[in-house]
Amino acid sequence: MILGLLLLNPKILYICAMSGDITVAITGVHAFVPEDVLTNKDLEKLVDTNDAWIMERVGIKERHILKDPDKASAFMGAEAVKGLLQKTGTDPEDVELLICATVTGDYQVPDTANQICKLSGLSRAYGFDLNAACSGFLFALATGAQFIKAGTHRKVIVVGSDKMSSITDYTDRSTCILFGDAAGAVLLEPSINEFGLEQIALYGDAAGKDMLRIKSGGSLRPPSEETVAHREHFVWQDGRVVFKAAVKGMAEAVKEVISRAGYQSADIDWIVPHQANYRIIKSVAEMLDYPLEKVMINIQKYGNTTAATIPLCLWEYEPQLKEGDKLVLTAFGGGYTWGAILLTWAYQK
Ligand code: UT7
């Protein structure tokens, strides 16, 4: 009798499926990169640096900058979302939730996620922002997945969008060479083929507070003439300390998700690391004894775009990804925050 009802009514069948264990899949990815390019040669005119040093120490050739003063992270996020809706054939009305990972929201209040919903025509969706610095996309992906896993949501968009040029001090050669502007977005849905997110490992440690920060502008040290005069509204980091913590944190997190899943590193088709420094990426691969050819790298073109780096990699490598490929995403950032997510790619482009 019950079986008969289920077979006759697809809606009931769906509800039953939802009550089981739901696997959450990324079913589309898109990104937005602003047109204007800031090259190492351009930076040589601003600070005492040179292309050879930047290439050797960081591996960045150029980064894209959103020059229009009237546009910021919400605009870039919305451009990525509009492209995502189009390429996945998603009706904007069907999207229920949008989470935006960012450290450069358009305003302190309101949030950026709801601005993105409005700009991209997601008339039924609600949104909220999430700040986990360079690990923001990982934390937002893990968060968004829970809404689908709980069976309460069917279409969630996760965005990473950062206009890093707005918090970069272009008189400080140790930071201004690093950052770029961009946004990336993924669509999350219940998996139809059992492929999707498998293991999530996230970590935080307040020991990072004084190693990577924007000193003022928060409630502890609100902006004032003095904080602006001291350039405290720009991002600053103790690069060497963060470098070592990033290599260790990402390598350990990747190992953790691989071992929890019962895999070996040879089972992993791609590692998708946060793009902060080519040498960090290379060191992580070496620590894992993992071939660099299977690590997604595009830092040379975009620099460190904070919450956007991972979706930007997925977007660029999407044509090479096959249904069933095993990926480990990993990131490290301010806080400290770090982690890894192991997933099986659920579709072929
Ligand atoms: O994304 C969130 C997490 N962030 C990261 O993971 C970033 C981690 N850190 C790094 O990527 C690197 O530490 C940096 C790229 C920030 C710096 O590279 P480094 O190899 O650690 O350089 P350093 O800070 O040890 O500086 C070495 C030298 C210094 O000169 P002295 O003291 O040896 O004479 C710096 O003043 O390089 C100098 N330097 C530069 N020289 C030319 C620093 N920046 C520059 C520059 N051009 N842009």
Side-chain angles (χ1 to χ4, degrees):
M1 166 72 174
I2 293 172
L3 186 67
L5 250 179
L6 294 181
L7 291 174
L8 282 172
N9 189 334
K11 207 166 182 182
I12 295 178
L13 201 62
Y14 167 71
I15 292 164
C16 289
M18 290 290 97
S19 66
D21 197 18
I22 300 164
T23 302
V24 184
I26 292 177
T27 54
V29 59
H30 200 66
F32 172 82
V33 178
E35 248 173 55
D36 285 301
V37 171
L38 183 67
T39 65
N40 292 348
K41 288 275 166 226
D42 296 329
L43 285 165
E44 283 175 12
K45 293 175 203 144
L46 299 177
V47 288
D48 179 15
T49 191
N50 56 78
D51 177 62
W53 191 94
I54 301 171
M55 281 308 287
E56 190 196 319
R57 306 302 296 168
V58 204
I60 301 172
K61 193 80 195 163
E62 57 190 35
R63 52 309 273 140
H64 290 247
I65 303 294
L66 183 60
K67 281 200 174 156
D68 186 339
D70 296 325
K71 291 184 173 135
S73 297
F75 164 78
M76 294 193 296
E79 290 301 302
V81 170
K82 283 192 266 181
L84 178 69
L85 295 171
Q86 196 183 18
K87 74 192 270 196
T88 55
T90 303
D91 183 343
E93 296 261 305
D94 290 343
V95 179
E96 297 149 296
L97 166 63
L98 183 143
I99 304 173
C100 179
T102 186
V103 294
T104 54
D106 286 25
Y107 308 99
Q108 284 273 13
V109 176
D111 68 284
T112 297
N114 282 295
Q115 306 304 312
I116 296 176
C117 290
K118 181 158 191 272
L119 290 170
S120 53
L122 305 183
S123 53
R124 282 187 54 233
Y126 67 98
F128 61 87
D129 290 2
L130 185 154
N131 178 348
C134 291
S135 311
F137 182 79
L138 272 194
F139 280 64
L141 182 61
T143 306
Q146 306 312 313
F147 286 85
I148 292 181
K149 207 154 183 58
T152 55
H153 293 60
R154 291 185 67 194
K155 286 187 198 290
V156 173
I157 291 181
V158 175
V159 177
S161 184
D162 271 307
K163 185 179 178 180
M164 290 306 292
S165 60
S166 69
I167 55 166
T168 298
D169 183 351
Y170 287 99
T171 66
D172 174 8
R173 70 175 181 173
S174 69
T175 53
C176 73
I177 56 159
L178 302 173
F179 298 107
D181 303 336
V186 298
L187 179 63
L188 298 181
E189 293 180 277
S191 175
I192 52 166
N193 55 9
E194 292 303 311
F195 292 156
L197 273 60
E198 288 181 40
Q199 293 291 334
I200 297 172
L202 302 176
Y203 306 90
D205 185 352
K209 177 170 85 72
D210 296 323
M211 303 303 158
L212 204 177
R213 67 177 179 204
I214 298 173
K215 196 171 176 185
S216 77
S219 58
L220 188 62
R221 204 167 154 75
S224 65
E225 278 181 27
E226 188 199 345
T227 64
V228 173
H230 287 109
R231 309 183 81 76
E232 292 176 13
H233 51 297
F234 292 122
V235 68
W236 176 89
Q237 68 174 332
D238 185 332
R240 289 184 204 190
V241 175
V242 178
F243 187 111
K244 284 184 201 145
V247 173
K248 184 171 179 287
M250 289 200 283
E252 284 179 1
V254 171
K255 274 187 198 161
E256 171 71 23
V257 290
I258 292 175
S259 93
R260 267 201 229 159
Y263 301 140
Q264 308 291 322
S265 57
D267 298 322
I268 304 304
D269 298 287
W270 295 99
I271 288 181
V272 192
H274 170 55
Q275 313 278 306
N277 186 321
Y278 176 78
R279 286 189 299 130
I280 292 179
I281 297 170
K282 198 162 164 271
S283 302
V284 170
E286 278 164 11
M287 277 183 81
L288 296 166
D289 200 14
Y290 191 81
L292 208 50
E293 313 80 70
K294 295 206 288 175
V295 180
M296 293 190 190
I297 302 173
N298 59 13
I299 188 173
Q300 67 282 2
K301 291 195 280 183
Y302 306 118
N304 182 349
T305 56
T306 303
T309 59
I310 289 178
L312 211 52
C313 275
L314 294 174
W315 170 63
E316 282 217 329
Y317 281 77
E318 188 189 30
Q320 296 180 54
L321 290 172
K322 295 190 292 298
E323 186 178 338
D325 276 357
K326 300 224 173 291
L327 276 60
V328 179
L329 321 182
T330 184
F332 187 95
Y336 298 128
T337 54
W338 72 101
I341 294 180
L342 190 155
L343 59 90
T344 306
W345 197 248
Y347 67 96
Q348 187 126 7
K349 197 162 172 255

